[in-house]
Amino acid sequence: MKQVTIDYEPSYLSYIYSVRELDTAFKSIIHQLMPLWKKGMAYGCLCPENIRLIQKDHMLYAEVDLHTMFENPEYDCPEKDKTPASDIFSLGLMMHEMLNETLPYCMGEKETIREALLAGEKVEVSDLLDDVHYNLISRMICFHQLPKQALQKTVYCHISANSIMTKRCC
């Protein structure tokens, strides 16, 4: 049973791994973070530097590094207080990047997506994604705007290790 650690390189990942394999990696991240989210807590600084991708038995998995927490402003949510929505926002950006090789596009002149959202600018999700991922990523990026009760309900219904990527988002 050979295990290989893989560098997070979006252009490489999207060519080597299928959408299904990348989805499996995201499911493993969500499965690891769900206990925190159920308690209303957040990891707080999800970014590629804190995720380790592992190929094992022809499957792609991901592990969240709980010991070393790098911060990367490119994946930071608009709010100061970190909540489960912050993590979901960051995961949405990483998913977009893995599937499309770029972060979502900012319509204005801001340098980061966080700055664009704080300035009220529009952020565009790539229309090159399939409908399921387009809708899912759009919702993940918008989660930070939902009230806390709606957020918790949405997290449990749509972002669970068993349902992500297997049900079409509405």
Side-chain angles (χ1 to χ4, degrees):
M1 194 178 311
K2 188 175 180 183
Q3 181 171 309
V4 179
T5 302
I6 299 153
D7 291 333
Y8 181 97
E9 180 58 47
S11 58
Y12 166 79
L13 292 171
S14 63
Y15 286 111
I16 301 300
Y17 295 103
S18 69
V19 171
R20 188 175 186 168
E21 290 169 317
L22 293 172
D23 287 348
T24 301
F26 274 93
K27 285 181 189 180
S28 60
I29 294 170
I30 290 164
H31 185 70
Q32 292 170 60
L33 295 175
M34 191 58 76
L36 283 175
W37 294 348
K38 286 182 179 178
K39 294 177 184 174
M41 299 165 50
Y43 181 79
C45 56
L46 275 175
C47 61
E49 294 85 355
N50 296 328
I51 303 292
R52 183 174 34 172
L53 295 173
I54 299 165
Q55 182 176 346
K56 185 176 175 182
D57 295 331
H58 306 289
M59 292 293 291
L60 186 66
Y61 298 96
E63 288 182 358
V64 179
D65 186 349
L66 299 174
H67 304 291
T68 310
M69 297 173 95
F70 294 100
E71 291 196 28
N72 185 334
E74 287 288 322
Y75 302 89
D76 202 11
C77 75
E79 291 76 28
K80 281 185 177 181
D81 297 329
K82 304 299 183 193
T83 66
S86 311
D87 290 346
I88 293 167
F89 176 85
S90 299
L91 278 175
L93 295 181
M94 285 191 289
M95 183 181 292
H96 188 285
E97 186 177 44
M98 281 182 145
L99 295 172
N100 199 54
E101 300 179 29
T102 63
L103 288 169
Y105 177 71
C106 297
M107 300 299 285
E109 299 177 10
K110 301 298 180 189
E111 288 189 30
T112 66
I113 292 172
R114 177 185 192 277
E115 291 172 350
L117 289 171
L118 286 172
E121 294 176 2
K122 189 173 181 180
V123 174
E124 290 283 325
V125 174
S126 173
D127 57 5
L128 298 176
L129 297 169
D130 63 75
D131 288 345
V132 172
H133 287 92
Y134 180 90
N135 290 331
L136 180 65
I137 291 168
S138 296
R139 292 178 72 139
M140 291 171 84
I141 292 171
C142 294
F143 272 174
H144 69 282
Q145 300 171 342
L146 296 173
K148 190 173 181 177
Q149 285 181 320
L151 170 67
Q152 284 183 327
K153 191 173 186 179
T154 306
V155 167
Y156 301 145
C157 292
H158 295 284
I159 309 296
S160 71
N162 295 325
S163 68
I164 190 169
M165 314 306 174
T166 58
K167 293 182 182 175
R168 187 177 266 297
C169 291
C170 334

